[in-house]
Amino acid sequence: MILSGKAKLAGVMGWPVSHSRSPRLHGFWLNRYQIDGAYVPLAVPPEKIREALRALSCLGFKGCNVTIPHKEAAFEAVDRLTGRAKKIGAVNTVMVDENGGLTGDNTDGYGFIENLKAGAAGWRTEKPAAVLGAGGAARGVLVALQDAGVKNIRLTNRTKQRAEALAADLGGIEVVDWSERSDCLEDVGLLVNTTSLGMSGQAPLDMTLSGLNAEAVVTDIVYSPLKTDLLLKAEQRGNTVVDGLGMLLHQARPGFAAWFGVEPEVDDALRSFVLEDL
Ligand code: ATR
């Protein structure tokens, strides 16, 4: 580790923040590229998030990531928003400019798409996509799919009103009943789980894949376990599967590049390093 008096500083604000993988991930890149810099965990309670973000420039920070539960508060607190942050309605990456102003970006959808491109070269945006879930994570995924050119999106969620609200807000999305989630897969090019189902300690995702065509790509934003039941089932049927860890790794790239001035690479060495501590 190089850490001089001129070190560039960044970090992640969360509450709690101890579970965050980001310090390990950015620390790996700082070491790999021999950068004079540090990326630190910043435990910030909800009532202090605005103050903490404002303090970044006083402390000489280049910026930070924000994670649960601060993404919406950061959206309100910054001075400027990128187009994708505006569409997603939440901020996960903050950049401090030369005058101390704060720009809020959201790289979750970017990370999702980059991970898909890296893991499923055969994925075709012309085909319909089926998305499970209508929470904050789903919104990032839907915006990214639309920006990538997917015109036909089917959205299904246990609480239908949430899916309907999201579809009305983003436009061009068809809502499917949760009870019919296994019956809308015949012609899809992509199936995405954005719910917490299948995560360690949560209920499994009850889904039948018999209607899914052989070319469809299946991905899960859950990465603990790395191979969720959904991905295992899809893999057994011969579908291409993409696990959720890559999304975490790829969403970190734009922030690292902005703060530390190097475009970082996601590769197997990084994956293994982050996986060791999952
Ligand atoms: P996030 O920001 O990570 O998306 P969230 O907003 O709490 O978190 O959303 C969680 C998603 O998982 C929602 O789509 C939720 O469905 P509801 O909108 O019906 O709550 C879904 N989810 C969580 N537990 C579920 C369960 N037991 N069955 C079906 N869906 C579930």
Side-chain angles (χ1 to χ4, degrees):
M1 180 165 104
I2 309 171
L3 204 53
S4 79
K6 291 180 287 186
K8 293 173 177 159
L9 302 177
V12 54
M13 294 184 185
W15 189 259
V17 78
S18 53
H19 66 281
S20 173
R21 312 298 188 226
S22 294
R24 191 171 169 86
L25 159 54
H26 286 274
F28 178 91
W29 280 332
L30 286 169
N31 190 40
R32 169 182 281 176
Y33 301 111
Q34 289 293 291
I35 291 170
D36 182 12
Y39 181 105
V40 293
L42 299 162
V44 178
E47 65 277 13
K48 298 273 189 195
I49 183 66
R50 186 172 277 271
E51 226 177 309
L53 285 168
R54 284 289 143 205
L56 284 171
S57 78
C58 313
L59 294 169
F61 272 58
K62 298 284 182 193
C64 70
N65 285 122
V66 286
T67 186
I68 295 166
H70 299 319
K71 291 184 181 187
E72 284 79 22
F75 180 86
E76 300 296 336
V78 295
D79 303 304
R80 274 174 307 279
L81 292 161
T82 62
R84 60 193 181 193
K86 266 187 212 158
K87 278 199 221 163
I88 297 174
V91 159
N92 78 335
T93 305
V94 175
M95 272 85 63
V96 180
D97 67 30
E98 281 161 12
N99 306 315
L102 303 179
T103 300
D105 192 7
N106 192 313
T107 65
D108 286 332
Y110 167 86
F112 172 76
I113 291 289
E114 288 291 300
N115 184 37
L116 261 187
K117 284 187 188 161
W123 172 52
R124 306 281 304 278
T125 55
E126 294 79 15
K127 289 193 172 176
V131 178
L132 308 172
R139 200 177 166 92
V141 165
L142 292 166
V143 167
L145 287 174
Q146 289 184 327
D147 284 351
V150 181
K151 300 259 178 322
N152 188 341
I153 300 177
R154 288 174 205 150
L155 179 62
T156 180
N157 191 51
R158 173 181 60 177
T159 311
K160 195 174 184 186
Q161 298 95 298
R162 264 185 118 183
E164 284 169 342
L166 207 43
D169 198 23
L170 297 177
I173 293 170
E174 178 194 349
V175 175
V176 174
D177 274 348
W178 182 244
S179 59
E180 287 164 21
R181 62 191 177 282
S182 301
D183 307 323
C184 64
L185 305 175
E186 207 174 301
D187 55 346
V188 302
L190 180 69
L191 170 63
V192 189
N193 175 44
T194 79
T195 75
S196 47
L197 296 171
M199 196 184 286
S200 316
Q202 302 280 327
L205 170 63
D206 181 13
M207 183 102 193
T208 310
L209 297 183
S210 51
L212 190 69
N213 72 80
E215 286 79 43
V217 175
V218 180
T219 187
D220 203 324
I221 71 160
V222 170
Y223 57 81
S224 177
L226 197 56
K227 283 274 170 75
T228 58
D229 276 350
L230 173 69
L231 296 185
L232 286 172
K233 262 198 240 171
E235 205 170 46
Q236 278 159 14
R237 302 179 72 253
N239 290 94
T240 300
V241 302
V242 179
D243 68 57
L245 180 61
M247 177 174 171
L248 172 77
L249 306 181
H250 283 281
Q251 64 75 31
R253 284 170 40 212
F256 189 91
W259 306 318
F260 300 116
V262 173
E263 296 280 348
E265 206 185 325
V266 169
D267 62 8
D268 285 343
L270 174 67
R271 261 181 80 89
S272 307
F273 183 74
V274 174
L275 263 177
E276 270 170 35
D277 196 40
L278 270 191

